[in-house]
Each structure stands twice: as C-alpha cells, then as structure tokens.
C-alpha cells in the first residue's frame, strides 16, 4: 500500500548521493565536491557498488599476484573508509563484484530503496558510455533506473515516491571518448587539501594523484576562462542529465 | 518449419497497432490518430502492456491509499475499454505490471506473436528515452525487438515473417528532454471531439484533459505554419524510425 | 592602445542584455525573465536589431496594406517602448531592417561596442537555427561574434575587453525544429502579470497572447515535474551555450 | 507596399522546383523524380545556378585543355536543355559561375524572386555539407535563405509571401560524409528509361551513367527492404528539412 | 589468482578477429579485409555466433520449407568453412542460435575467453544499430562487453588481461539507417578475386554477389575521390570505435 | 586555360601544411607533429594568417599598454620565426589582422593559391567551433573553402587542381566545448624537447608552457591506455575531417 513520504524538515536540507562503481571512483572524480558539500552543511552519502577488487586494484595484485580476492576487498574497504572520513561523509559498500559487475532486478530494487530512503537532492555517478571500463556504464544504468523507480510518475502511487533528484555524471578518465561534455564546474579550491589527503589514502600509484591534481588545476583554468572568476584554483567538472529550475537567470 | 504467411486481401488493408506502456498512454498520445484511422476504414488494435496500476493511477490512490492493486487494475481496465469503444478500436491488456515493468524473453515472444498475427502496416509506441518514466523506454525496446523478430531478414525463413511495418514514436510529456523531434503531424481536427470524450473517461485530473487539448491546438499551430494548411485545428505529432517509401515527392 | 576596463563596483552588479531581432521578440520570449531580473535589482538592457517592420507586423499591414514602412516603424517602436516601460528596462533600437536583415562588419562592430560598454553578466538572444525565420539566426550569429570580439582572448590586449558573459538562447516558436533543447527554466510566476500586460501592448492578434500565456503554464508544468517545486506557476525556458561555474552542486 | 499573392487555381497544383548548383546535378540526383512529377501532372522548374563550366566539365577540358570557358558554357547549356526536354521540364540558367561560386545579397534576392514567382510546393537542392564540393553547400545556403525570405513570417507583410514549400536535399556523391540520411525514397521505376536517356546527354564519362544506374537499383533494394513493396525497381533518395503535415498515418 | 599473460613474440604479430552474427556476414562485409590480412602475414580468426539457420538461410528454406533446422546448420557450416578456406583463415562456430539470438552472462564469458586467448590487434564486428536485423546489434553488444572484460582497467588484476584491441564496425546493408559513417577504407583490389570466390560459396541468390561486388567498386570510387589513389579498384569500409595511436600524421 | 599539375617526384613526398590563425597557435597545438614530420623527412610549411597582435599578445600589452600594433607584430613575427627555426620548418605570414580577422574572396583566393602551389598531403588547422575565440573558426572556414577550391571536383578542369589533402583540426584550449573529439594521437616523444624549446620562445606566461607540457603528457597517457603502447611519453591529439584510405586494417 501507499506510504506517506516526506518529512518537510529533512527535505529542505540539501543532500548529495554519490554512486561509485568501484570503491575509489568517488575520490578521484567527485571528492572535492563531496568535501565542499559537507563544508556547506549538506548531508552526503557515498554508495560503492563494488570494491573494484578484481580489476581496479593494480598495486595490490602487483605486490602479491597470489593474494585472495577477499583480502583485496578488506584493504580496499579500509582505504575508501579512510577517504570518506577525511571528507566527513558516510559510506556504504554493496559488494556487487567487478569485472564483470552484474545487474539484476533485485540489485535495482536494492538501489531504489537506498535512493528512496535517503531522498537525495542531487545524485552523482558515472557516464553512460566508457569504452575503457565495462562497469562504469552499468553503474550509470543502475542509477538511472533506480532513480526513476524511486520517483514514480509524479502522482500519488502504490509506493513511496520522492521528489526527482537532479543528477550528473562526473568526469571519466578520457572525457571526449566517453561523450562527456561538462556543463557545470564546481569550485573546490577551499577543500582541495582534503581531496589530496583522500587521494593519498587510496594506495594507488603516485602518478594518479598527480594526474588528478593536475586535472583539478586544468578544469579551474577552464572555469576561469569561461566566467572570469579569477579565484577558482581547483575545480571538478560535471554533466547534468536534466534542466535546471531556478528563479534567477544569473 | 516455415509457415505460409500472407492473405492478400487482409494485407492490402491499412492496419494500425498502438503499443501503450500503461493503459492510458494511447489516449493522451495517439487517440486522435486512432480515431482518424478508424474513420478512414483502417483496422486498428491497441495493446496495453500494463494497467499503470502502481505508478500512473494517482487519482485512485489519492482517494483511497489503502485500496488493493487488483481493484485499481479493474477500474483502469474499464476506463481504457471505454476510451477504446469511443474510438471504435479493439484493445488487449497484457498485464505485465508497472513500476517496475520487467521484460523477459517470453514477453518479447508474446509481443512478437501479436505483431505477427496482426500484421500491422504502422506501429505507434513510446520514445526510446524518457528521463521521467522508467516503463516508457522499456515499451520502446520491447516493440523494437518484437517488430524485428516478426519481420525476419526479408527472406524465406524458419518462421512466419511479415512485411516490415512502418513505426513511429508518439509524443512524450516533455518532448525535448526525450529527444523527441516530430517529423509527422497528423490532422485530427475531424475526430477531436472523440479524443476529448475518451480523455474524459480516464478518471484523471481535469488539468490533464486541458493540457492535451491545448497540446492538440499547439501542434496544429505548428502544422499550419509548416504547411500553410489553414484547415488544421488539432494535430498529433509523431517521429518516424524509418524512411518513407512512396511514389510521389508531393 | 589598450584601455583600462573594469569598475569593480559596477562589475559586481548583475546585468542582463537581451538582443532581439525584431522589436517584439524580447516580450514573447524573455519578458518574464527581464521583469524578474529588474525585480531582483539587476541592470537590464534590451537591444532591438530591427522593428520587424516588413515581415513581423501582420496586423498593421492587414488593416492597411498601403501604409508606409516608416509609419509601421513608428508604431512598432512605440509598442516596444511601452512594453519595456512595463518591465522597467531601458531599450535601444538599431534599425537594421528586416526581411532581409543584413549583417556587415560595421554592424558587428556596433554591436561589439554596445556589449563592451554595457558589460553584461548574461546575454539572451535567438537560436542558431530557425527554419521559419531568416532573421533569427542572423541575430544569433551577430551576437555570437560581437560577444567574442568584446571579450578577447582572456589576456591583456589592444582593445578593451570584458569578462565573458554567460549567454543563452530563448525559446523559438517551434522548439524541436530549431534544435532548441532547454536546460534552464526560470520561474516567472511573481511577474507574470507584467508579461501579460506587456504582451497586450504589442498590437498582435489576441491568439498570440493566449499562445504565450499557455506556453508559460506548460513550461511551469515541466519545471514542476523536473524539480518537484510545486510553487512554479509560470516559467520561461532557455538553452545555455556555455558551462556554468559555481561553488555549489545544489 | 504589400501585394496580393495567391491565385487559388494555380496554388492547388503541385509544383516542383529543383535548384542545381551546376548544370548537370539535377539529372544525376533528381532526374527520376522530375520525370515522375511531370508524369503525375505537376508543374516543374529547374534552376541551374551555374554551368559547372570550370570545375565540372572534365570531358570537355580533357578533349581540349585550351578551349574557352564560354565555349564550355554553350555546350553544357545545350546538354542540360536536352536533358530537361527529355523530362519535359522548363529550365533556367542563372550563370553565377563555379569554382568559386560567389553568393551576394543581390543573388539571394534574384533567387527569392524566382521562388516567389513560381510558388513551389516542393523544393529540391543540395546538402548543407559536402567535403568534396565547394559550390554545393553554397547552393544549399542560397536556397535556404531565399526560401525563408519568400515565405515571410506567416503573417501579412510588406512584401508578397507564399506558403512555405516543403524542401529536401537530394543525394550527394558520398552520402555518409555529407551527413546525408535519407528519409524519403521515391519510386522512379516507371520513368527510369527517361533518366537513362537524360544521363546519356550529359557528355560525361560512361562510368557515371553506370554509377547512377546502379545507385537507382541499390536505393530500390533499400526501399523494398524497408517497405516490402516488391514493385520498386529504381528509386531516388531524399532528406527532408521539415516535418510532414498529412491527414493519415498510413 | 592473477595470470601471466603475454608472449612477446606472438604479441608482435598482427592479429585480426572477426565476430560475425550469422555464418555468412563475415564474407559479405569483411571478406576482402580478411584475405588482405592473410596476404600480409597476419594471424586471423573468424567467430560465427550462429549459423543464421532460421532467419538468414532464405534459399534453403525456399527450396524446401519442411527441412529441419539441423540440416540447415550443416549446410551453412560447410559453406562458411569453404569461404574461410578460400581466405585461408581459421573459423569457429559458437551455435548461439538466431532469430532470436539470446545473450547471457555465460555467453559473454565464453566470448571473453576467446578474445583473451587470441589476443587480437584488431576486432571487426557489426554496428550498434540495425533497424533491419535483431541479431546484429546483439553481436555488437556482446563484442563490446567481452572486449572490455578481456582488457581490464589497464592495471594488474585478478585475471588475465590483454592489450586493448582496436575495433571497428563493418558495413551494414543500409549504412545511413544504421548510423554507419565509414572512417577507414581498406584497399582490397589485390584479393578481390578471393572475395568473389568466397561469396559464390554462400549459396545465396546471385543478386547478392552482384550487390557486394558493386559495393566494392563504389567504395573504391569513394576512396579514390578522397585520397587521389587511382590504384584502388575495390574497397571495404569500416567505422572505428576508438582513436588511432600512431607516430606519423601521414 | 587548364594547367598541367603534377610532378610525380614531388607528389610522392609527404607534405604537411599548418594553417595557424595567430602566429603562436602552430607551436602550442601542433609543434610536436611538425618537428616529428621534419624528423621523418617530410616537407613542411606553416602559414600564419595573423600575428595575433591585438588579441593574443597579452604579455606585450601588459608590459607596455601604449606600444603600437606594428611594434607588437615585429616581436611576434620574430618569436614565431624562432620557433619555426627550432622545428626546421619554413613559415609564411599573411598579416590578415586579428580581433576581428576578416575573410574576403581575395583572401580565400590567396590561400587557395598557397595550397595549390604547396600541394600538401596533410593540412592541420583550427576547429570549426570555438566559443572562446572569434578568429579560430574563421581560420577553419577559410581553410575548408580554399582546400576545396584547390582540389576541384576530381576531374579535368579550367584550373590547376591537386589531389585532395587529408585534413585535421588540432586541439583547442577547451576541447569539449569546441566539439573536439580526437581520433588520432601522434607520438611526439622523440621531439618533445624541441616543442619545449619552441614554446619557450613565444614570450608567453610561464604557465602556458607548463599547461601544454602537461597536456602532452596527458594525451600520451590516453594514447597508452587506448593502444597499450607503453613507449608513448608525449602526444598531440587531432580530429580528422575525412576517412582514411589505406591498404591494411592494422
């Protein structure tokens, strides 16, 4: 039967939900925006669909090719938890497996319930296309479907339904090949030290931290050039999947 | 083994098949074109994949949040039947469920058989993309696949195969966001009274009837501006998925 | 030689520049947003490239096919001035002629100077494509080029250069055919009475006022469905040509 | 001052206007459709913007590299006239020059007047993009602008305005590279002998006649496969630039 | 546990993998490129996902509508083997069934293993879209996913991973409708006799051999016009899904 | 009259033509590829349409806002010549002016002659779209048109015509916003020291050299990930405007 759904007080608070295919993606691709949102008083939640234990844990497999997948999961979880703690955000691990990640109706229902319970204002996740990663598009598809099922058709219904959250893709490794065309740059200058600290928890090769530090500076260069806002030193880029509704053109 | 497939006499008659995710979609989005086709002597068939009992029956859930889904289905079926009667078209209900609608190989086979048996000249259904409805794109995908399976490769085969029907998407609620770009406007002026009567059967909020009446007028305005045909007072818009084959450029 | 360009105090004020091919476009397509911006304390300026005296003054030519173009211009100017007064915005008329509007290097320079002097935060104009109007795409092209020339390459230069303004296309008559895909909806509920009053000054057929009143309601319906913001009663839709730079994802 | 524009009797007749950059394009790309339209009782007119005397007259320059451009024009004109006679269509030559073709406001006005005087139901011309021909996109642009200027804004105006003609691009030499995506196939089986006869007047290399004969067969293969219409033996392909307004979905 | 993956010697040899939905597709669409690669000393492998026994064996069903599917498979396999022998390439048959072809996680794993074992430099398969064939897009999807799973994330991992192969779609029957935009033309002039011989093994209607012979000539015409390389007499067209990495712009 | 056009010996040599809107663009965007081509024995030519004296000479105007445009041109020319010398390439300066650059029929003819005389195998220039630079799209348009006019229609003609050169856009400052989608990565590792030396001649702010050094490393990262070629340390990215014709799929 139909449920009563909204607590006005909670609804008015901004809430950010980040859905990460592997347990490190949320750090590289949206860590600054998470930290910035926490700084601004928003409620945040990170959901890791997998630990990336099979395909995204290169350093661990390189140091010991014979270790067990379970031992990799434990280390990856600890690293992600540490990064989440630096940002000051809760984090959940769904342990769906990677390479291949498999999506089922039950997993969609699980994600739908998480979205329905958290009632996010904004969702961040991967791009619909990624010719270098089989799990990222699946994370996108699962998010797209679970988001729709949690919102319903905008009328009273047989199930709890929430206000439709805005949603964005965060930046993939090779933007042009993933058809990623950023339309929103978030100034993360004030929290970039936290992003660096969190990236350093991930046990990845040093060059990746440099790569994403440089990317933060490059996107800030773009943001300054677009807007004339000289104060932007580091930025993250996102692509929205829906129009923005606002009461000011500025 | 291969079957003999075509009765020449039936084949020469125009036949319209409308595949509707929920039991009301066919009225709002293509009711005028159904009525017009009946008026022109075509054979028509409406297939409702679900009753929209969970997600699209706002008024029923609002008046009694504790009613059963079965009771909603019964009411929705009666409403859709009434609308079909006004148009003068047969209607089938597949009862696949909504929110979530789930597609399986068996359901594709069921729809393939319906298409193969009816041998439509034209199929109308939803758009491939709809960021506000999880079931509409599924209806599109099911239709796309079942249509292809019923046609085969255009050569003799192990199964009955029919001539490839033309097929169109009808207009979604927010056209631009659904990548809906109409290429065909149907003048429904002569049957618009039937569309209004059918819309009034649907038990929806009064504003929806106004919304789609206004849309009919707006699309007619566009049609007049495009063509100079001043007699078009109400129109419905469609987007074709295949080229048109004809013997005149006019 | 190079000029000193920015007065910090003026620069911090939001400024809206609307570039209108004919003297009525700004009312139908962005009147609510102009009024809303004035209400919010922004500085605004409307630039009409032509009076629409030849091609867009149907009622005047219908009542007297033999009147002079000059007399049409005088009436059109008075109407536009009256609408601007209702919105509370200054307005300029460049008198470039319509059907055909012709663009020259001198006219681009004229528009570049206007943009450079006003230093807008946001520019609104037509779409790049309009298969029903030869002048609208020209207004787009002139705006695009003049905006770039007024900004320069983002470095010190031989001419005054301003911070790059955001810029948007406002809604054309047939959005899909113009490749118009709105990404920004402005809630104009609080000033919609002013838009109605201004539309009624334009001397156009009564149906146009109804058409755009209805469009305001329809776009509000879309905005509510996208965002859950039930308070939006009337809205205008815009498409941005550049990413947004901000410090919050909400 | 405004003019009275429509003679009802003429207006009701279908009229086809073909705008050809060089004096042979209309034969290769739309000869069958011209012949078919004549067969169906339509009024037709071919306008050749140039003779293709400099860049498209390979056989003539090959047999005598020292001949004069004027002599080439005379031969090309005679060939095009002969082809037009076979189709049974009037033909005009504007002699704008080729390689480079140059467009001016005066030439746009000249073409606008031709369109306004002829009042076509349908216009055929080149594609907007052609990475192998500098003149074809110019013919497209000139046609697009002249068509809009001849129609006006759909209201009474300071100049004669006609009902907006439908318009299509015909098939370029390398369709995919020109972004040509056919949406309309015209069955030209009944007049294909005339197309062959006309092609043989063009003085081109024999392989070109074979090339376009084969293309007619290939497009018919596509048309049969799309529609099941087994009677289509030869076809020409077109891409529409506007939606179709009709009163039947079949 | 992680496996040691590369034998340097084998890796340096060029290797071509062709994934064909039905047992004849590889001949019509890429037979010349297979033969050319063999001629150039590359290792090649053809994988037929099905025999096309139900939907693509028109001549066999026409001559005996009552034959069994098993008997069709045997004939189709012999024909494909004969064509492969002419090209000098190994061939595998997965017997996944056609009309409908069904994809499962196990079948993806099967294809992933084949790719991982063969370690191709280049993969050729169908287009992502084909409005005239339900199995071709499935072959594309299976290839896309299996290719990604065999490559991993480019770091050490829990499974064998290979260098990412380049991959292309070969030409479908109706290129424009399948969104096929060729970016690579392979000159197959020197091996076209083998393609003709192989096509003649397929037991298809004579017109298909003519159709693809003519296509080879047409694509060569395009290739000559693009590049000025007059020696190209027959060509096949492909569309790449990834950028090319090279050390020369020529 | 028609001219004899090809000297077989010269034609067989690879020739690279770079068309640069301002006198520094060729260094930042294609310097490595120029140096690499010289290293490989190709003939190269750089054509600077302007000196970028008004809009792209920030450092010069900053150090002395009152200097003359002529003095800026002299310095810019010397810097570009120095960079060209490091690459070992000839360079031409057309002095068309910048901000605004204006294109005329005469200038198109001038560029057409340069292309016809040099007979390039490959042309590199800007992107068709650049929302941050008014001159870059003009350079693209001028190149596109001049290239077509120098090639003719592929048949004997009234003017010299050359084999159609391949052509590419080089990378703009903000790739996604310019619709730049790289399809070709050139490994410039072996000549990157020359690119650094040339960049250091340009008198620009130090951060620009860092910016493009980092970009070279980032594009190499992409190239390695795409191809598995671990030896790529620095790369430049390009987007082709035409298919590639080759005799090998590898």
């Amino acid at each position: 039967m139909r449920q009563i759904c909204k607590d006005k007080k909670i609804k008015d608070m901004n809430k950010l939900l980040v859905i990460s295919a592997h347990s490190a993606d949320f750090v590289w691709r949206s860590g600054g925006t998470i930290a910035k949102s926490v700084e601004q008083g928003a409620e945040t939640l990170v959901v890791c669909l997998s630990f990336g234990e099979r395909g995204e844990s290169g350093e661990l497999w390189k140091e010991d090719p014979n270790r067990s997948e379970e031992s990799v999961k434990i280390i990856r979880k600890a690293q992600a938890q540490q990064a989440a703690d630096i940002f000051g955000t809760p984090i959940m691990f769904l342990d769906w497996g990677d390479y291949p990640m498999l999506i089922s109706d039950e997993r969609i229902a699980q994600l739908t319930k998480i979205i329905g319970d958290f009632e996010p204002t904004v969702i961040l996740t991967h791009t619909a296309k990624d010719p270098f990663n089989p799990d990222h598009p699946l994370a996108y598809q699962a998010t797209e479907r679970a988001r729709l099922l949690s919102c319903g058709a905008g009328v009273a219904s047989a199930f709890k339904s929430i206000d439709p959250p805005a949603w964005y893709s965060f930046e993939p490794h090779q933007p042009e090949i993933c058809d990623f065309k950023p339309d929103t740059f978030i100034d993360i200058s004030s929290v970039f030290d936290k992003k660096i600290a969190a990236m350093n928890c991930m046990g990845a090769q040093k060059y990746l931290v440099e790569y994403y530090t440089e990317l933060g500076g490059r996107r800030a260069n773009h943001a300054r050039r677009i807007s004339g806002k000289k104060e932007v030193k580091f930025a993250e880029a996102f692509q929205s999947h829906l129009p923005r509704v606002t009461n000011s053109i500025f």
Side-chain angles (χ1 to χ4, degrees), chain A residues 83-154:
Chain A
D85 290 348
I86 287 169
F87 296 144
T89 182
I91 187 168
M92 289 174 66
F93 301 94
L94 303 194
D95 196 9
W96 285 2
D98 74 325
Y99 289 82
M101 183 176 285
L102 302 176
I103 304 296
S104 63
D105 294 335
E106 290 70 31
R107 288 180 166 181
I108 295 292
Q110 180 186 12
L111 194 57
T112 302
K113 186 163 181 348
I114 290 169
I115 295 174
D117 288 347
F118 186 65
E119 301 192 25
T121 322
V122 170
I123 298 177
L124 305 179
T125 193
H126 294 267
T127 46
K129 183 180 170 186
D130 191 333
F132 289 106
N133 197 300
D135 298 339
H136 291 174
L138 287 185
Y140 172 89
Q141 289 165 25
T143 301
E144 181 184 42
R145 187 153 167 78
R147 177 187 165 279
L148 277 172
L149 289 173
S150 66
C151 299

Side-chain angles (χ1 to χ4, degrees), chain A residues 28 59 62 173 199-200 203-215:
Chain A
W28 311 115
E59 293 306 289
K62 205 190 280 178
H173 188 70
M199 291 194 292
N200 279 320
Q205 292 168 284
K206 189 168 163 300
Y207 92 89
L208 259 184
V209 177
E210 282 167 11
Y211 187 94
Y212 282 98
T213 299
E214 179 282 321
L215 180 62

Side-chain angles (χ1 to χ4, degrees), chain A residues 17-29:
Chain A
L17 177 63
V18 179
I19 298 178
S20 180
H22 310 103
S23 63
D25 289 322
F26 75 97
V27 178
W28 311 115
R29 307 184 191 294

